[in-house]
Amino acid sequence: IQKEDRGALMFLDVAYQRDNQDSAEYLTLTVAKDKTQKRPEFISIIIPNNVVQSNGIFIKFSKTTKTTESPGWKTEMEKGNPVRVHFEKCSDEKQICTARIIGGYLIDDDTKEKTDIFQKFMDFDHVIFLFVYADGSHKSVSVPLFSFKEQYKKL
């Protein structure tokens, strides 16, 4: 967390590996919070630019619930389709693509339906980011939200 006079920036770098590759790639999640507002100014997702850029990145959420079956808990995905976030920009020079969710709200291009991504960050236990590589392979990166919820309330 980087605190400034006006507010704070929360950063999280999540390492992941593509199938059949030794080196790690990173998804960077950033949340910008103005201290005079309850909601974030924006949520950004940065990933390497070796993905199908026109697809953007898809987001889905899940909850962890207790169960009587081993191992004692299970993960339940939210109902419905993932939401798509288009990349704001992709840089060949920096080799990254950035998607931003202004105010924590996402508006669907087709249906114009408004999705409160920030509220989902607060209500669910995990956020899953899905993207497709140019070779047709795909990746999902799951990020636990427990720490985010605790830290965000302190900002």
Side-chain angles (χ1 to χ4, degrees), residues 63-67 71-76:
K63 282 194 174 213
T64 302
T65 57
K66 289 186 178 186
T67 180
W73 55 270
K74 66 180 180 176
T75 301
E76 292 180 1

mmCIF file of all heavy atoms in Angstrom, residues 63-67 71-76:
data_model
loop_
_atom_site.group_PDB
_atom_site.id
_atom_site.type_symbol
_atom_site.label_atom_id
_atom_site.label_comp_id
_atom_site.label_asym_id
_atom_site.label_seq_id
_atom_site.Cartn_x
_atom_site.Cartn_y
_atom_site.Cartn_z
ATOM 1 N N LYS A 63 -17.101 -17.890 -4.148
ATOM 2 C CA LYS A 63 -17.173 -17.907 -2.673
ATOM 3 C C LYS A 63 -16.726 -19.266 -2.183
ATOM 4 O O LYS A 63 -16.937 -20.278 -2.841
ATOM 5 C CB LYS A 63 -18.609 -17.670 -2.202
ATOM 6 C CG LYS A 63 -19.035 -16.236 -2.258
ATOM 7 C CD LYS A 63 -20.315 -16.039 -1.475
ATOM 8 C CE LYS A 63 -20.604 -14.549 -1.460
ATOM 9 N NZ LYS A 63 -21.238 -14.105 -0.270
ATOM 10 N N THR A 64 -16.135 -19.269 -1.008
ATOM 11 C CA THR A 64 -15.748 -20.506 -0.361
ATOM 12 C C THR A 64 -16.790 -20.808 0.713
ATOM 13 O O THR A 64 -17.110 -19.944 1.521
ATOM 14 C CB THR A 64 -14.352 -20.368 0.278
ATOM 15 O OG1 THR A 64 -13.429 -20.005 -0.741
ATOM 16 C CG2 THR A 64 -13.909 -21.658 0.929
ATOM 17 N N THR A 65 -17.331 -22.025 0.674
ATOM 18 C CA THR A 65 -18.347 -22.400 1.654
ATOM 19 C C THR A 65 -17.943 -23.688 2.355
ATOM 20 O O THR A 65 -17.227 -24.515 1.788
ATOM 21 C CB THR A 65 -19.725 -22.593 0.987
ATOM 22 O OG1 THR A 65 -19.607 -23.578 -0.038
ATOM 23 C CG2 THR A 65 -20.243 -21.304 0.397
ATOM 24 N N LYS A 66 -18.400 -23.828 3.596
ATOM 25 C CA LYS A 66 -18.119 -25.056 4.359
ATOM 26 C C LYS A 66 -19.002 -26.181 3.853
ATOM 27 O O LYS A 66 -20.137 -25.953 3.426
ATOM 28 C CB LYS A 66 -18.363 -24.825 5.848
ATOM 29 C CG LYS A 66 -17.340 -23.933 6.488
ATOM 30 C CD LYS A 66 -17.548 -23.854 7.976
ATOM 31 C CE LYS A 66 -16.466 -22.981 8.585
ATOM 32 N NZ LYS A 66 -16.520 -22.958 10.026
ATOM 33 N N THR A 67 -18.463 -27.383 3.941
ATOM 34 C CA THR A 67 -19.212 -28.568 3.539
ATOM 35 C C THR A 67 -18.832 -29.722 4.464
ATOM 36 O O THR A 67 -17.788 -29.682 5.124
ATOM 37 C CB THR A 67 -18.932 -28.929 2.056
ATOM 38 O OG1 THR A 67 -19.673 -30.090 1.713
ATOM 39 C CG2 THR A 67 -17.466 -29.183 1.819
ATOM 40 N N PRO A 71 -12.500 -31.757 1.570
ATOM 41 C CA PRO A 71 -11.663 -31.325 2.689
ATOM 42 C C PRO A 71 -12.350 -30.373 3.665
ATOM 43 O O PRO A 71 -11.687 -29.712 4.447
ATOM 44 C CB PRO A 71 -10.511 -30.623 1.974
ATOM 45 C CG PRO A 71 -11.129 -29.997 0.772
ATOM 46 C CD PRO A 71 -12.207 -30.962 0.355
ATOM 47 N N GLY A 72 -13.678 -30.273 3.623
ATOM 48 C CA GLY A 72 -14.377 -29.429 4.590
ATOM 49 C C GLY A 72 -14.846 -28.102 4.024
ATOM 50 O O GLY A 72 -15.482 -27.323 4.703
ATOM 51 N N TRP A 73 -14.506 -27.817 2.789
ATOM 52 C CA TRP A 73 -14.947 -26.590 2.139
ATOM 53 C C TRP A 73 -15.004 -26.815 0.634
ATOM 54 O O TRP A 73 -14.419 -27.740 0.104
ATOM 55 C CB TRP A 73 -14.014 -25.430 2.471
ATOM 56 C CG TRP A 73 -12.576 -25.706 2.151
ATOM 57 C CD1 TRP A 73 -11.643 -26.268 2.976
ATOM 58 C CD2 TRP A 73 -11.908 -25.507 0.902
ATOM 59 N NE1 TRP A 73 -10.445 -26.415 2.325
ATOM 60 C CE2 TRP A 73 -10.577 -25.937 1.035
ATOM 61 C CE3 TRP A 73 -12.303 -24.978 -0.326
ATOM 62 C CZ2 TRP A 73 -9.661 -25.882 0.016
ATOM 63 C CZ3 TRP A 73 -11.376 -24.916 -1.360
ATOM 64 C CH2 TRP A 73 -10.075 -25.359 -1.167
ATOM 65 N N LYS A 74 -15.743 -25.937 -0.045
ATOM 66 C CA LYS A 74 -15.792 -25.994 -1.505
ATOM 67 C C LYS A 74 -15.915 -24.571 -2.056
ATOM 68 O O LYS A 74 -16.346 -23.655 -1.353
ATOM 69 C CB LYS A 74 -16.934 -26.863 -1.996
ATOM 70 C CG LYS A 74 -18.317 -26.331 -1.674
ATOM 71 C CD LYS A 74 -19.385 -27.256 -2.210
ATOM 72 C CE LYS A 74 -20.763 -26.693 -1.860
ATOM 73 N NZ LYS A 74 -21.827 -27.486 -2.423
ATOM 74 N N THR A 75 -15.533 -24.430 -3.290
ATOM 75 C CA THR A 75 -15.603 -23.138 -3.954
ATOM 76 C C THR A 75 -16.785 -23.148 -4.906
ATOM 77 O O THR A 75 -16.933 -24.061 -5.707
ATOM 78 C CB THR A 75 -14.302 -22.859 -4.732
ATOM 79 O OG1 THR A 75 -13.210 -22.882 -3.808
ATOM 80 C CG2 THR A 75 -14.338 -21.515 -5.413
ATOM 81 N N GLU A 76 -17.620 -22.126 -4.795
ATOM 82 C CA GLU A 76 -18.776 -21.996 -5.669
ATOM 83 C C GLU A 76 -18.616 -20.753 -6.526
ATOM 84 O O GLU A 76 -18.423 -19.652 -6.008
ATOM 85 C CB GLU A 76 -20.063 -21.878 -4.851
ATOM 86 C CG GLU A 76 -20.425 -23.139 -4.105
ATOM 87 C CD GLU A 76 -21.720 -22.986 -3.309
ATOM 88 O OE1 GLU A 76 -22.346 -21.909 -3.354
ATOM 89 O OE2 GLU A 76 -22.084 -23.954 -2.622
#
